Amino acid sequence: MHLPAYLLIPAAAAFIYTVASLLFKRAYEEGAGTLTVFHWSNLVSMPVFLPLFFSNHGAFPASDWWRPGVVAALMYIGTWIMFAAIRRGDISMVTPILGTKVVLVALTLVAISGSGPGSGLWLAACLATAGIFIIGKGDLKPGKANGGALLMCLGSSLLYSVSDVLIAHWAGNHGGTAFLAALPQFFGLFSLLSLIGSKPGSMRLPPGTPRWVISGSVLLALQGMSMGISLAFFNDPTGVNILYSTRGLWAIALVWCAGSWFANRERSRAGRSTMLWRLTGTVFITAGVVIAVIARSS
């Protein structure tokens, strides 16, 4: 079977996202604050997305700027929750749970259309739900940090799913790729506004952390732009989303096999049994995502 070359873009984005998460986790381990890392990431993403403004051949009417502003506000909150989850929980748990966004998008679209979910979406929802509980086995007890992180991931996924639905509904007729380029500009603006009145040095990074924060921010922005390009220029949202859903599997693989490169101790701290449960749950969620994407496209 021939695999289109453009599908290498979302596949690479899935891998890059996982590496960025590990870099942020390393920065947290060395003393960086959640809000500081979050704001740095938003500011770094602004110039990375600027080329998408120039790839858009149509004008972006001033009257339409409120649309990316609304989407950016939802994504801003969702991203902040995601960063908090990364700080609080394990990458090998957080990243697979974030993959449920695709299933939530499919269910949201069905709810908006007023039609009932087909058998494929029901199966996808059941697999994703089962995967969540399998991954969360032992982490949903009182006092467990990963339990709170799991709930944060679900909240972030829900906000991102609503954002994706709005992008799909608005971007094509209101700015195209310029719509996508406008989102990180709003992220940066929101961060700058939130920093007004903050105490001096609130953006200062502890010694040893700038390289992890900046490199992670650049990678996160690049994978976001790659996904935007994939969805905007290639008429294959099914293939793109399926390949991107592998980020959960990449998280397990990198933590298991290359965690020491990032000074990540999840594998030894969680133990073999917990890692195997997370791998099993990730397979369930990934299968659910694949089924949801195929069901949506049919």
Side-chain angles (χ1 to χ4, degrees):
M1 183 177 69
H2 174 66
L3 183 68
Y6 64 80
L7 287 180
L8 293 175
I9 300 176
F15 177 80
I16 293 171
Y17 173 90
T18 307
V19 174
S21 297
L22 287 166
L23 292 172
F24 288 135
K25 188 69 174 180
R26 176 70 181 270
Y28 289 143
E29 295 288 346
E30 295 191 12
T34 304
L35 283 176
T36 303
V37 175
F38 171 63
H39 291 317
W40 270 108
S41 176
N42 288 335
L43 295 174
V44 168
S45 70
M46 295 177 75
V48 175
F49 273 77
L50 287 178
L52 288 182
F53 275 118
F54 301 101
S55 66
N56 185 64
H57 298 296
F60 195 177
S63 60
D64 282 338
W65 276 92
W66 68 270
R67 299 177 192 274
V70 169
V71 175
L74 292 172
M75 295 180 69
Y76 182 85
I77 298 171
T79 304
W80 179 83
I81 297 174
M82 180 195 75
F83 272 88
I86 290 174
R87 180 182 180 88
R88 185 168 182 171
D90 291 342
I91 299 298
S92 56
M93 186 208 70
V94 168
T95 305
I97 298 296
L98 289 172
T100 59
K101 181 197 74 170
V102 177
V103 180
L104 291 174
V105 167
L107 293 174
T108 301
L109 287 172
V110 168
I112 291 175
S113 68
S115 60
S119 57
L121 283 184
W122 276 120
L123 177 57
C126 289
L127 286 172
T129 302
I132 290 169
F133 281 101
I134 291 171
I135 290 176
K137 188 181 187 309
D139 286 321
L140 294 176
K141 299 175 183 177
K144 286 279 189 177
N146 277 332
L150 190 151
L151 296 177
M152 289 178 184
C153 290
L154 292 176
S156 178
S157 293
L158 179 60
L159 288 170
Y160 265 97
S161 67
V162 176
S163 301
D164 276 13
V165 172
L166 291 177
I167 289 173
H169 185 64
W170 283 339
N173 297 320
H174 302 278
T177 55
F179 189 104
L180 300 175
L183 297 177
Q185 313 313 315
F186 275 106
F187 296 162
L189 176 62
F190 294 156
S191 282
L192 289 173
L193 289 175
S194 69
L195 288 169
I196 295 176
S198 299
K199 60 182 180 181
S202 59
M203 285 293 286
R204 185 178 299 121
L205 293 168
T209 63
R211 56 176 173 169
W212 308 118
V213 173
I214 300 302
S215 56
S217 298
V218 171
L219 289 179
L220 189 66
L222 287 175
Q223 68 86 35
M225 188 173 70
S226 298
M227 284 298 294
I229 290 173
S230 298
L231 293 169
F233 290 97
F234 304 103
N235 188 26
D236 187 11
T238 301
V240 168
N241 279 296
I242 287 176
L243 266 294
Y244 190 61
S245 72
T246 60
R247 60 181 176 165
L249 296 173
W250 275 118
I252 300 290
L254 285 177
V255 167
W256 203 311
C257 302
S260 60
W261 296 357
F262 302 91
N264 186 285
R265 296 181 291 276
E266 289 178 25
R267 178 181 174 183
S268 58
R269 184 174 60 242
R272 180 180 177 83
S273 176
T274 298
M275 292 298 293
L276 287 174
W277 278 113
R278 290 177 182 174
L279 175 60
T280 303
T282 301
V283 171
F284 270 72
I285 290 175
T286 304
V289 169
V290 172
I291 292 172
V293 172
I294 293 175
R296 230 177 105 186
S297 65
S298 61

